[in-house]
Amino acid sequence: MKLQSILARCESVALDALVAEAELLTRVDRKYLLPSGAAEEILESASSRARVLEISRRREFGYDSVYFDTEDHVSYRLTAQRRRRRFKLRTRCYLDTGSAFLELKTKSGRGSTVKNRISYDPVDRMRVTDAGRAYLRPLLQAHGHDPLLVDRMRPSLVSQYRRATLLLPDGSRATIDTELRWSDAHGRTVALHDQVILESKSAGPPSLLDRALWRAGHRPSGISKFGVGSAALHPELPSNKWARTLRGPFSSSVITSKEPS
């Protein structure tokens, strides 16, 4: 059963209704990396009462996320070392709608993901503007980080994929990411062609999707697109947190480089 067929059978939900029912800017995220066939089996059983986000008759959307880090990879190292106070800074462009945001993702003291974001000009996706820095400094400080870190942040990784979003009957959301691809500032690229990232987003308790995955023997992988993409393209960085993923799905992937112009 192909993903598109599964999504086509779901009832649709508009973006404003999705946000009204499950905005979940503060939430618990659980991520699973699965082969495409296994992901489709899970979704076939879990999606019968789900609604799928639909905008302008589209149910899958292209995402382009640019992650920012310092030259010594402060943000990456905090993530790789599982520090309680860690953060990710990115711009996110929704390619099918033309909208974009500047986002700071942090962890609360209880392990929940907190996302703060503002609208952003897609033209500025590869940089942090003066207005962006002014927005980010107090947020970093409030989460225990040096607010001047933002002045050292540079584009470090681009993550591209296609995403569908489900609204489940228990009020949780689930995202389905396919066509996974990463590139860095040096033009190196790596892709996973037959893997899917399923992510549940709930206010805390396990969602319907989590329980379906657990019954099938799948457990959260802790995968981070920023973390695993950076580790795959920069083997000199510490990568213990994602060693199993790098030895597994990424082991057959090929890193390509741009030809010099």
Side-chain angles (χ1 to χ4, degrees):
M1 178 66 63
K2 296 298 184 183
L3 175 61
Q4 288 76 14
S5 300
I6 296 171
L7 296 177
R9 293 203 308 271
C10 294
E11 292 187 17
S12 65
V13 61
L15 180 58
D16 55 352
L18 176 75
V19 171
E21 293 188 42
E23 185 174 23
L24 296 175
L25 290 179
T26 299
R27 67 199 186 214
V28 174
D29 297 338
R30 298 178 180 91
K31 300 179 184 178
Y32 308 79
L33 180 64
L34 286 76
S36 299
E40 288 165 357
E41 280 187 29
I42 295 296
L43 292 168
E44 173 72 8
S45 64
S47 64
S48 59
R49 295 169 56 206
R51 288 177 284 166
V52 61
L53 174 64
E54 182 174 306
I55 302 174
S56 300
R57 299 186 179 179
R58 292 190 179 98
R59 296 190 170 195
E60 292 183 87
F61 306 92
Y63 279 54
D64 178 292
S65 297
V66 179
Y67 290 90
F68 295 81
D69 207 347
T70 61
E71 288 189 8
D72 54 348
H73 302 282
V74 165
S75 181
Y76 172 85
R77 293 178 189 278
L78 290 172
T79 301
Q81 294 165 4
R82 303 173 189 263
R83 296 294 179 88
R84 281 185 65 190
R85 295 188 180 277
R86 56 189 184 267
F87 70 93
K88 297 172 192 173
L89 173 61
R90 72 188 179 198
T91 58
R92 168 164 285 181
C93 294
Y94 300 85
L95 301 180
D96 297 280
T97 63
S99 59
F101 294 88
L102 176 68
E103 300 181 344
L104 182 70
K105 292 182 73 175
T106 55
K107 286 288 185 180
S108 73
R110 296 186 176 183
S112 297
T113 300
V114 180
K115 182 165 67 173
N116 297 96
R117 68 181 190 174
I118 55 173
S119 295
Y120 214 58
D121 190 331
V123 172
D124 294 322
R125 62 183 279 273
M126 295 294 291
R127 71 187 188 103
V128 182
T129 62
D130 290 343
R133 285 192 288 272
Y135 171 73
L136 293 165
R137 287 189 189 109
L139 290 174
L140 285 170
Q141 187 167 32
H143 288 282
H145 301 289
D146 180 357
L148 298 181
L149 269 177
V150 71
D151 298 322
R152 297 168 48 203
M153 306 291 275
R154 302 290 183 271
S156 65
L157 184 75
V158 178
S159 171
Q160 297 172 315
Y161 51 94
R162 294 194 63 77
R163 168 171 287 186
T165 299
L166 299 179
L167 177 60
L168 300 176
D170 61 355
S172 67
R173 280 164 42 191
T175 56
I176 308 158
D177 296 344
T178 58
E179 300 180 26
L180 305 163
R181 182 178 180 273
W182 295 264
S183 57
D184 65 11
H186 304 287
R188 291 175 296 198
T189 299
V190 65
L192 293 181
H193 297 292
D194 193 33
Q195 298 286 322
V196 174
I197 295 177
L198 297 183
E199 183 173 357
S200 70
K201 306 169 191 287
S202 69
S207 70
L208 290 172
L209 178 65
D210 290 311
R211 297 187 185 283
L213 284 158
W214 296 353
R215 285 194 298 271
H218 303 288
R219 291 294 181 267
S221 66
I223 188 173
S224 153
K225 292 190 185 74
F226 170 57
V228 76
S230 297
L233 291 170
H234 296 274
E236 74 278 6
L237 293 174
S239 59
N240 289 350
K241 184 174 180 179
W242 301 289
R244 180 178 297 181
T245 301
L246 294 172
R247 289 195 305 267
F250 275 89
S251 61
S252 59
S253 60
V254 177
I255 296 176
T256 58
S257 298
K258 272 185 183 178
E259 294 293 332
S261 54

